Amino acid sequence: FFRKEHEELRRQRLEMFMNGFGIITLKLKEMYQMITLGGDAELELVDSLDPFSEGIVFSVRPPKKSWKNISNLSGGEKTLSSLSLVFALHHYKPTPLYVMDEIDAALDFKNVSIVANYIKERTKNAQFIIISLRNNMFELADRLVGIYKTNNCTKSVTINPKSLACTELQYPVLSDKSNAPFTMETSNKAASQEYISILPSPLSQS
C-alpha cells in the first residue's frame, strides 16, 4: 500500500513540475525577447526522464550573437537573463514583495528604461523595493527614499516623485551640494564625489 502511495505521489510531483516548467520556459522566452528586443532564451532539463536528479541548463542567445550558457555571459547580459527568469517565475506564481539591489548597475540607459517600465506597468500585483543610482530607474518610482549623511548620522527622506515634478516649476533642482537641504552621496566608489540633490521643500525657502 505504502509503495503504491509513494509512486502516486512521485507521479503527481513529476506532472506538476513538468506543467510549471513548460509554462515558465515559454514565458522566459517572451520576457527575454521583450527585454533584449530580439534575443532568445531556453531552459533545458539535463535528464528529461528524471528531472530531479541532474538539474536545469539555462541558455540564452543575445541579439545578433550565438547561444551561450548563462555562466559565459557578460555582466549586463547576465542581469537581463536573470531578470527575465524572475519575471517568468513571477508570471507563474506571483510573489508579493521583491527587494532588488542595484540590478541596473551593469545595464546601459536603454535597457534600464526597458526594465524600469516593465516593472512599473506589468507587475502591479507586487511591490518592488529597488536600490538604484540610475535616474531613469528611480524617476518611475511611486515613492523615492533618499539616504544621506549629516553630522556623522545617517538619515532618510521620502518623497513623492509625482508631486516633486509639480514643485519643480517653482523650485529648481539644486546642483550645488552646499546649498541643498538634502543630499545623497552615491555608494559607488568610482563616483563617490557625486551627489544627487533633492528639491527643497517650500518650508526651506521661507
Side-chain angles (χ1 to χ4, degrees), residues 139-156:
E139 69 184 6
L140 296 180
D142 294 319
R143 290 294 183 273
L144 185 61
V145 180
I147 309 297
Y148 64 101
K149 186 176 181 180
T150 179
N151 298 326
N152 291 323
C153 293
T154 300
K155 298 182 180 180
S156 65

Side-chain angles (χ1 to χ4, degrees), residues 75-188:
E77 290 171 338
K78 284 182 179 178
T79 298
L80 294 178
S81 302
S82 301
L83 288 175
S84 299
L85 181 57
V86 169
F87 295 148
L89 291 169
H90 176 77
H91 170 79
Y92 177 70
K93 191 172 184 180
T95 300
L97 177 65
Y98 293 86
V99 180
M100 299 181 171
D101 186 6
E102 295 194 37
I103 58 172
D104 50 11
L107 302 181
D108 58 21
F109 183 90
K110 179 187 72 175
N111 287 322
V112 172
S113 297
I114 291 174
V115 171
N117 280 282
Y118 179 84
I119 293 174
K120 179 73 173 180
E121 301 299 331
R122 303 284 292 278
T123 57
K124 294 185 178 180
N125 57 343
Q127 181 180 12
F128 283 75
I129 299 176
I130 301 177
I131 301 169
S132 176
L133 300 175
R134 307 293 290 275
N135 291 13
N136 50 330
M137 173 65 77
F138 59 70
E139 69 184 6
L140 296 180
D142 294 319
R143 290 294 183 273
L144 185 61
V145 180
I147 309 297
Y148 64 101
K149 186 176 181 180
T150 179
N151 298 326
N152 291 323
C153 293
T154 300
K155 298 182 180 180
S156 65
V157 59
T158 303
I159 59 176
N160 184 340
K162 294 180 180 178
S163 63
L164 193 64
C166 298
T167 311
E168 187 174 0
L169 296 175
Q170 292 181 301
Y171 305 103
V173 175
L174 298 177
S175 59
D176 184 359
K177 172 196 167 186
S178 60
N179 295 328
F182 301 109
T183 57
M184 296 182 293
E185 186 171 357
T186 63
S187 59
N188 187 338

